[in-house]
Amino acid sequence: MSETILKVRNISKRYRNTKALEKVSIEIKRGMIYGLIGENGAGKSTFMRTIMGLIKIDEGDIELFEQTGSKGLQHARRKIGQSIETPALYPDLTARENLKVQAANGGVSEREIDDLLRLMNLGNTGKKKAKNFSLGMRQRLAIALTLITNPEFLILDEPTNGLDPSGIVEMREIIQRLVTERGITVLLSSHLLDELSQVATHYGILHDGKLIHELSKEELSRETRQYIELETTEIQKAVVVLDELEIKDYEVVNGTRINIYEHIDDVAAINRSLVLADVNVLRIGTTRQKLEEYFLQLTGGNTHA
Amino acid sequence: MLNLLTAERIKIIRSKKFWIVLGILTILPIMQAVNSQITVNHGKELVQVIDTVINGATGILMIEKNGLTVLLIISAFICFFIGEEFQNGTIRNVLSLGRSRIHYYLSKFLMAALVSLFGVIVLTALGMISFTVVFGFGEVAEINHYFVFAIKSFITLYILILANVSVYVMIGFLTKNSGISLIWCFLYTIATGFLPDIFQQTSHFKQVTEWFTETFLFYSDFANPSHIAKYPEMVLVSLLTIVVSSTLGILCFNRTDIK
């Protein structure tokens, strides 16, 4: 069984009368890319900040790299890299100088600076100050800062926020490269499930400070995959026809509806077989539940997501 | 802690604000020497009790002469030095690495103290040089052992400044914002600097004012033997201010949520 990187149990955080987090429990194992999804104000950033010790929790336990207690967590946090919301940079320093500062903060050598600048396509920024960087460049520099201390666990809060489509693709590639090449475990957040679905291996859905659902990539693709929706008044006869067609992956949803998950391109052939078998077909066609619809369904239809 | 200080050193050297502070503290004594020369040329005589610095020897009292200016400049620098870490979010880069908040607070205080020390050394050295060039080195009246007097006076004056640096650092960490801390630091400096003048008129509040370092800095004549005798009291009040403000600052910072 793979090592647990982060285990939080029933953590809660309250700001005056607002509950920012309510009994949230999450376990992240080594190698996972855990996507935290939630609309703005759902508690994603608060959750990440509690892990990094930036805000104090009111109740619950945090276990990081199997360490607990304030001293243990403080020690374990040396293995974390983070970029929360807007990139935290020194605007009057160059990319190299920003990295030098972070290397000093982490007490690590400056040897990797050149490699990181190249890795993040910032090698040719020279004396350009961070305040003159584009948002994409700042995001990439923020990731480079997190990597200078050689973290085993990376926490990225909305890393694609404000980026253009090419920037989003680039950021996605960087994250995937970090996981495959450096074996880093990642916790990242977004309010866009569609975007997260392209990188994450596991998902946690936060809503109003509560973790309302957790699922793996496979479960998500099963929940949101394309399928044939068949409506008929004769379910049993339809099932016999599907068996004859050697269709095994289907689900009888209710007394009039069957969802068929294979032979998606053979709608016409399936319909013909049903009609030939004298099955009364009310409607047949392919359908797909969009990721965003799935998310809205879970969160009760908040349109901000 | 050493790692944090190394990081602070990189930031300070590249900080425009640091060079502006240093520039002001460099130009100020030279301009004052020239101004004093113009005053003398207009037939006025410099009086140590009023003008504080009248020759190279009294140049050691440049901090006393420029007390308010030094405090306002240093407070502005500290407010940006700390506030911008919160506003840029860069404080997260340090604390999320598991660095102790106490170490972070102390590294900021230590850097602010070093910048202040460097600044007042430049101010004093250039003050002594420029006043010597214009008026000669001369002497300090009623002082027999100048070197001992100079060392004691400079250290006492710096410790009085340091006590204020400690309060400014505390305000910076409490407010977490450059602009707001700037307002509070200015209010603190002006209030503790000018209110004693009013309170000292009454016998009831006179004692209270002596618990604030500005009272010594603004209302003492550091060349007067009766005031020189109060150096230990000044150092004691300063050290108490440093301990109380730093303890309060660290306690509050430890409980603060970083956004």
Side-chain angles (χ1 to χ4, degrees):
Chain A
M1 200 170 142
S2 57
E3 180 196 351
T4 297
I5 300 290
L6 171 72
K7 194 178 200 173
V8 295
R9 281 180 295 262
N10 296 319
I11 60 165
S12 298
K13 174 71 185 175
R14 181 184 273 277
Y15 293 114
R16 289 197 178 90
N17 297 322
T18 316
K19 271 195 170 175
L21 290 175
E22 195 178 345
K23 296 202 177 296
V24 174
S25 299
I26 283 177
E27 186 171 353
I28 298 177
K29 291 187 182 291
R30 188 174 287 280
M32 275 187 183
I33 304 179
Y34 193 98
L36 207 53
I37 311 142
E39 66 266 33
N40 296 329
K44 304 185 296 291
S45 301
T46 306
F47 177 75
M48 290 177 157
R49 285 190 169 96
T50 61
I51 295 164
M52 291 179 297
L54 298 175
I55 60 175
K56 305 259 184 276
I57 51 171
D58 297 330
E59 56 181 47
D61 302 303
I62 298 175
E63 187 185 312
L64 203 54
F65 293 98
E66 293 170 354
Q67 304 270 334
T68 53
S70 66
K71 281 274 171 204
L73 287 174
Q74 203 170 318
H75 186 71
R77 285 188 183 112
R78 303 221 167 127
K79 299 179 190 173
I80 295 185
Q82 60 80 32
S83 177
I84 296 279
E85 285 174 358
T86 50
L89 308 170
Y90 294 101
D92 289 321
L93 302 188
T94 63
R96 178 178 295 278
E97 286 163 345
N98 266 289
L99 284 164
K100 276 186 178 181
V101 170
Q102 190 60 4
N105 283 333
V108 295
S109 141
E110 295 177 2
R111 268 178 310 182
E112 268 207 76
I113 290 179
D114 285 325
D115 289 343
L116 282 173
L117 287 172
R118 266 195 302 275
L119 181 74
M120 295 295 152
N121 299 327
L122 293 167
N124 56 358
T125 50
K127 290 185 176 174
K128 194 173 181 179
K129 290 178 179 175
K131 65 181 173 192
N132 298 323
F133 283 11
S134 68
L135 183 58
M137 287 165 81
R138 273 185 270 156
Q139 288 281 25
R140 294 203 303 272
L141 179 55
I143 305 245
L145 289 184
T146 67
L147 297 176
I148 191 80
T149 51
N150 285 313
E152 292 177 38
F153 183 35
L154 207 54
I155 297 176
L156 303 173
D157 189 13
E158 313 222 3
T160 55
N161 219 1
L163 295 183
D164 59 22
S166 66
I168 292 174
V169 172
E170 193 177 19
M171 187 56 67
R172 201 184 298 144
E173 284 170 359
I174 287 170
I175 294 168
Q176 277 164 339
R177 214 180 326 152
L178 292 175
V179 173
T180 51
E181 290 175 11
R182 295 184 174 226
I184 295 174
T185 305
V186 182
L187 167 65
L188 77 162
S189 75
S190 178
H191 54 272
L192 302 171
L193 180 54
D194 197 29
E195 177 201 311
L196 268 187
S197 69
Q198 301 187 48
V199 280
T201 57
H202 292 78
Y203 306 86
I205 297 170
L206 270 176
H207 182 61
D208 285 344
K210 293 177 194 160
L211 186 74
I212 55 170
H213 200 52
E214 262 189 309
L215 69 172
S216 67
K217 191 178 181 74
E218 292 73 31
E219 286 168 326
L220 180 72
S221 73
R222 205 161 44 238
E223 299 256 12
T224 59
R225 68 182 163 168
Q226 200 173 19
Y227 58 92
I228 299 168
E229 196 175 66
L230 166 65
E231 269 186 51
T232 173
T233 51
E234 295 164 305
I235 289 286
Q236 287 195 342
K237 276 169 80 176
V239 167
V240 172
V241 173
L242 295 179
D243 289 342
E244 282 170 2
L245 290 170
E246 294 186 348
I247 295 172
K248 293 186 178 69
D249 194 4
Y250 63 85
E251 179 189 7
V252 178
V253 181
N254 55 39
T256 59
R257 212 178 94 192
I258 301 174
N259 289 347
I260 304 161
Y261 297 104
E262 55 184 310
H263 296 85
I264 303 294
D265 299 328
D266 300 334
V267 181
I270 294 171
N271 189 32
R272 194 163 50 245
S273 303
L274 289 164
V275 172
L276 286 173
D278 213 17
V279 176
N280 188 18
V281 177
L282 297 176
R283 192 174 73 84
I284 187 166
T286 56
T287 185
R288 173 178 211 140
Q289 185 177 30
K290 283 187 180 167
L291 292 170
E292 302 309 331
E293 285 169 8
Y294 174 70
F295 177 79
L296 292 175
Q297 185 190 314
L298 285 172
T299 58
N302 191 318
T303 51
H304 287 107
Chain B
M1 182 82 175
L2 274 175
N3 294 329
L4 294 179
L5 289 172
T6 309
E8 294 298 339
R9 182 180 52 82
I10 300 169
K11 287 183 257 175
I12 291 274
I13 288 170
R14 298 286 295 136
S15 162
K16 266 187 202 160
K17 289 158 197 102
F18 169 70
W19 293 108
I20 290 170
V21 166
L22 214 57
I24 295 171
L25 295 177
T26 304
I27 294 166
L28 194 65
I30 299 166
M31 279 181 63
Q32 284 176 336
V34 173
N35 273 347
S36 299
Q37 177 67 64
I38 293 167
T39 308
V40 170
N41 289 347
H42 279 80
K44 283 189 179 174
E45 196 182 334
L46 295 180
V47 182
Q48 198 278 322
V49 180
I50 298 163
D51 297 296
T52 312
V53 177
I54 55 168
N55 54 28
T58 50
I60 195 73
L61 305 178
M62 281 303 284
I63 300 175
E64 184 198 341
K65 183 176 175 69
N66 296 291
L68 181 64
T69 314
V70 169
L71 288 181
L72 292 180
I73 291 171
I74 289 175
S75 70
F77 171 77
I78 292 171
C79 291
F80 284 107
F81 180 54
I82 294 168
E84 283 182 346
E85 296 276 4
F86 285 93
Q87 286 165 277
N88 291 333
T90 41
I91 190 170
R92 296 193 302 254
N93 295 350
V94 185
L95 298 184
S96 63
L97 283 174
R99 292 282 171 210
S100 144
R101 290 194 184 200
I102 297 173
H103 285 173
Y104 185 76
Y105 186 100
L106 292 177
S107 71
K108 284 284 179 195
F109 174 55
L110 210 57
M111 280 317 281
L114 286 173
V115 168
S116 313
L117 178 62
F118 191 55
V120 295
I121 286 174
V122 169
L123 175 81
T124 307
L126 287 175
M128 290 177 81
I129 293 167
S130 47
F131 273 87
T132 301
V133 169
V134 178
F135 301 104
F137 191 76
E139 59 172 11
V140 182
E142 297 180 60
I143 299 296
N144 298 323
H145 304 285
Y146 178 75
F147 187 72
V148 176
F149 160 78
I151 295 288
K152 274 187 182 174
S153 298
F154 181 80
I155 291 173
T156 308
L157 282 163
Y158 173 67
I159 290 175
L160 287 170
I161 295 284
L162 189 62
N164 285 279
V165 166
S166 173
V167 173
Y168 300 148
V169 169
M170 177 192 73
I171 292 173
F173 275 96
L174 290 183
T175 58
K176 297 179 273 182
N177 178 293
S178 318
I180 297 170
S181 61
L182 206 57
I183 294 168
W184 280 109
C185 285
F186 281 7
L187 284 176
Y188 169 81
T189 308
I190 290 164
T192 53
F194 294 102
L195 289 183
D197 198 24
I198 301 164
F199 288 141
Q200 279 184 338
Q201 309 302 317
T202 71
S203 54
H204 300 92
F205 290 110
K206 200 177 174 185
Q207 298 291 323
V208 178
T209 62
E210 291 186 359
W211 285 100
F212 291 94
T213 53
E214 270 88 339
T215 309
F216 299 114
L217 196 59
F218 294 168
Y219 302 101
S220 300
D221 176 8
F222 284 75
N224 182 326
S226 69
H227 289 178
I228 292 171
K230 281 190 164 185
Y231 279 3
E233 193 186 328
M234 294 180 193
V235 171
L236 180 71
V237 171
S238 300
L239 293 178
L240 275 173
T241 307
I242 292 169
V243 170
V244 171
S245 57
S246 296
T247 308
L248 203 63
I250 288 170
L251 283 175
C252 292
F253 179 50
N254 264 332
R255 297 163 65 95
T256 301
D257 285 344
I258 312 289
K259 296 276 177 177

